[in-house]
Amino acid sequence: MRNAAMAVLLVCVLSSLRLGAETLIVPVVGEGWRIRLQGPVLAVESQHCDADGLIYRGNAGRFNVSVFVEAQPPGGGDSKACRDHFWQKASANPMIQKESIKIWSAEWCECVEYVTVDESQGEKMTLANINCYFELLGKWVDVHASVISPTEDDARMLKTLGESLVYCTFARPKAEPQEFAMGGMGKLRLVVPAGWQVGNHCVTRGIGAGEQHTLSLFSATDPNKNWKMTFFNSAVRYKTQQDLRLTAQRFAPPDAVEGAGNWQDIPLKHGVGCQAVFTDAALVDKPIEPGKAKVISSGFVAPEEDVLGTVTIFADDAKDADFLAAIQALGSIEWGAGEAPKNKE
């Protein structure tokens, strides 16, 4: 096992992806590092930060992943101590099939694989699980992934997840144009500002609006600064700024200091867009707390008549340089032709 304090100073280098897996990113914002591992393309993700630590969750159909980051208890210890601490509690779960337990060491973490069987709802539900534990800079981390009704390929995927897990400091990218494939809808081109890191690209299928693509971005240093954009094919055609403004004004936060009339145009090269900045009235004049961003930029863009994007950018200060840079960057959005949709069965 590598020395954790030195490992975080290294740049993440992942082996080639297997089993069609993607690189998943869990930003441990405010701590200066992130976790990278291989797993299925996520459909949805959520993250909560507070004074106690971080909880991250992601889902992709039968696959679920959770990450818990918290301060070490008194006495601390290395990654094996972290594993022993958490596994002592987790192993008391009566649903764990004792004969399925496998404990092993990866290069960057300590792993426990096992199978659980839940019959509490009258039906038998089997899950393949892996927990990856490690210690880093005074934090203990528990990465848990599971697959419902697992196949042999699913079990191998979970093992690959544990083997591929690494943690590293955030890169310091320069502001530059980047391109993101949005399935059959096309390709998003965006100049990502220097203060922002690109996170996961989540894809949701089989819903009323068709395929949805959500791109997440975040600050490397501030847990309250994050940015998400979701794009989907729209049955409504937005040809003019007024068309889009009428829709946008219906989504003004009801508890914001500002009213619904402060929408500004986003000067797209093609298509229409608008955004407005709102302040949470409940947080005005209150101390800054992790997980409670005070301001939000709510935006809508239609780079093509049949493509609609919703944009949310969070920060604590409406004059924050990164927040303003993100709003300005929305004007760089362009849309390119994409590949024909592929069957993802």
Side-chain angles (χ1 to χ4, degrees):
M1 181 75 59
R2 295 176 184 236
N3 180 278
M6 293 184 64
V8 76
L9 301 178
L10 301 178
V11 176
C12 289
V13 179
L14 297 180
S15 58
S16 58
L17 302 180
R18 290 174 281 176
L19 299 174
E22 296 290 332
T23 299
L24 304 183
I25 299 171
V26 180
V28 188
V29 289
E31 298 294 335
W33 51 277
R34 61 182 172 178
I35 303 167
R36 295 179 64 176
L37 44 83
Q38 295 175 26
V41 176
L42 298 178
V44 293
E45 62 179 348
S46 65
Q47 182 168 287
H48 175 72
C49 299
D50 59 26
D52 295 324
L54 173 142
I55 300 175
Y56 174 93
R57 301 185 191 279
N59 169 264
R62 295 180 297 115
F63 172 81
N64 290 279
V65 61
S66 302
V67 179
F68 305 89
V69 180
E70 61 186 60
Q72 295 179 6
D78 60 10
S79 295
K80 288 186 177 180
C82 174
R83 179 199 64 195
D84 294 344
H85 172 82
F86 286 112
W87 182 242
Q88 182 180 18
K89 299 178 181 179
S91 61
N93 183 350
M95 293 186 292
I96 294 177
Q97 306 301 291
K98 302 300 183 183
E99 69 280 2
S100 69
I101 298 173
K102 300 176 183 177
I103 300 177
W104 50 279
S105 298
E107 186 175 7
W108 298 76
C109 58
E110 298 294 326
C111 301
V112 182
E113 292 180 82
Y114 55 98
V115 173
T116 56
V117 177
D118 182 3
E119 299 181 280
S120 62
Q121 303 300 317
E123 295 184 6
K124 183 177 180 179
M125 184 172 67
T126 302
L127 284 84
N129 301 264
I130 188 170
N131 284 76
C132 304
Y133 304 104
F134 63 90
E135 177 276 334
L136 184 63
L137 300 177
K139 301 293 182 181
W140 275 2
V141 183
D142 176 4
V143 178
H144 173 248
S146 65
V147 180
I148 300 172
S149 302
T151 65
E152 290 185 4
D153 282 346
D154 293 329
R156 285 193 289 268
M157 180 271 293
L158 290 179
K159 185 174 181 64
T160 298
L161 182 150
E163 293 172 336
S164 68
L165 187 151
V166 297
Y167 33 89
C168 60
T169 52
F170 292 109
R172 296 181 180 178
K174 299 178 180 179
E176 60 182 0
Q178 297 192 41
E179 188 171 87
F180 307 92
M182 297 285 160
M185 288 188 295
K187 295 179 180 179
L188 166 68
R189 300 188 185 100
L190 170 75
V191 176
V192 178
W196 294 92
Q197 305 275 331
V198 176
N200 291 319
H201 178 175
C202 298
V203 183
T204 305
R205 299 181 175 90
I207 56 179
E211 190 172 275
Q212 291 190 0
H213 290 255
T214 298
L215 183 67
S216 65
L217 299 95
F218 55 90
S219 163
T221 58
D222 189 338
N224 284 353
K225 286 195 288 195
N226 58 83
W227 172 5
K228 285 195 175 184
M229 298 185 288
T230 298
F231 292 89
F232 54 91
N233 283 124
S234 173
V236 178
R237 298 300 192 259
Y238 296 98
K239 299 181 180 180
T240 68
Q241 291 290 156
Q242 185 62 18
D243 292 337
L244 199 59
R245 278 191 180 225
L246 290 174
T247 295
Q249 287 171 357
R250 300 195 341 247
F251 293 89
D255 54 352
V257 174
E258 298 83 357
N262 63 333
W263 291 89
Q264 304 293 321
D265 293 347
I266 297 173
L268 298 178
K269 293 182 180 179
H270 183 267
V272 293
C274 62
Q275 69 85 32
V277 176
F278 300 99
T279 304
D280 190 330
L283 298 178
V284 173
D285 296 328
K286 289 190 175 181
I288 294 174
E289 294 183 50
K292 294 184 178 180
K294 293 187 175 185
V295 298
I296 175 177
S297 167
S298 179
F300 294 82
V301 292
E304 297 290 337
E305 288 186 7
D306 62 341
V307 175
L308 181 64
T310 63
V311 183
T312 53
I313 309 169
F314 292 91
D316 284 315
D317 185 349
K319 297 181 180 180
D320 178 89
D322 292 333
F323 183 71
L324 294 175
I327 294 174
Q328 184 177 8
L330 298 179
S332 71
I333 288 177
E334 294 185 84
W335 207 256
E339 300 178 356
K342 296 180 181 179
N343 189 339
K344 293 286 185 176
E345 296 294 329

